[in-house]
Amino acid sequence: QKNKKKLSSTSVRGPVVQLVRTPPCHGGGCEFESRPDRHYNNKMTTQIILILFNALIIGVIFTHLILTTPAVFRSLDEESVSKFLRLIFPRYYLLLLMLSLPILLVLYFQDVSTYLWLAVNVSFHAALGFLAIPLTNAAKDRGWDKLFSFTHGLSVYCTIVILILSIIQFFIYAA
């Protein structure tokens, strides 16, 4: 009776948790292996980040092209349109640049050189668009029609390249 009391007081400790599992020897293993759900899946997180930021870039461009631009030209007079576009376009390209940088950093540090050139091009074209906006505005103000036409075309080109490359990246990382 003395042993019984001692045994029962020490055996009530709590639930047992399986930290490792052992596959049967006929199943290919006679060693311990840690549970697979205990491992942090770095590749999955990287893929989610790449998909998310490319989707955000695509969304920003489509929102700008489909919603903002047509609404501005339909509802505002020419002077108000000019003021609005001068305000929005630098922020638009800066946002595209900021959204492209995490993609560039992830690919650089993951050492995925195959797709790094896509991210470099997206960031480069976003920066180029950002830098072209003040020149576009100055050309418009001074009546330099050829320079304005060139810089405006450059801006459109940058947006198209960013959109196409982001769509390509989205489908590469989603596959």
Side-chain angles (χ1 to χ4, degrees):
Q1 195 177 35
K2 201 176 186 184
N3 284 342
K4 226 179 187 183
K5 221 179 198 183
K6 194 174 187 181
L7 191 67
S8 65
S9 66
T10 58
S11 63
V12 181
R13 299 259 182 211
V16 176
V17 178
Q18 179 187 5
L19 297 176
V20 294
R21 67 184 166 130
T22 310
C25 287
H26 66 274
C30 289
E31 302 172 6
F32 286 108
E33 63 182 49
S34 58
R35 292 180 56 176
D37 60 339
R38 299 241 184 240
H39 293 290
Y40 179 70
N41 194 340
N42 195 23
K43 184 178 180 186
M44 178 77 76
T45 304
T46 299
Q47 190 173 9
I48 289 170
I49 289 170
L50 294 172
I51 291 169
L52 175 69
F53 279 97
N54 278 295
L56 286 170
I57 289 171
I58 295 165
V60 166
I61 292 173
F62 274 128
T63 301
H64 177 72
L65 293 176
I66 294 171
L67 298 176
T68 308
T69 305
V72 166
F73 282 107
R74 277 193 215 124
S75 60
L76 299 176
D77 60 278
E78 190 176 329
E79 185 179 328
S80 298
V81 167
S82 177
K83 285 180 182 179
F84 177 78
L85 293 178
R86 287 170 187 253
L87 181 70
I88 199 75
F89 265 103
R91 294 175 183 178
Y92 167 73
Y93 281 111
L94 189 59
L95 177 60
L96 292 175
L97 180 60
M98 291 298 125
L99 290 173
S100 72
L101 291 179
I103 299 167
L104 188 62
L105 291 172
V106 165
L107 291 175
Y108 178 77
F109 287 113
Q110 291 293 323
D111 203 26
V112 186
S113 58
T114 311
Y115 304 120
L116 185 61
W117 71 270
L118 288 167
V120 167
N121 273 297
V122 169
S123 297
F124 171 77
H125 283 87
L128 184 61
F130 179 73
L131 295 174
I133 295 301
L135 189 57
T136 305
N137 294 336
K140 180 75 170 172
D141 293 342
R142 291 177 177 83
W144 299 340
D145 294 335
K146 285 185 179 182
L147 182 60
F148 172 77
S149 180
F150 174 77
T151 55
H152 180 265
L154 179 64
S155 171
V156 171
Y157 163 78
C158 287
T159 298
I160 291 170
V161 168
I162 293 167
L163 178 63
I164 290 170
L165 293 179
S166 294
I167 290 171
I168 290 170
Q169 286 185 96
F170 178 85
F171 284 109
I172 286 171
Y173 305 128

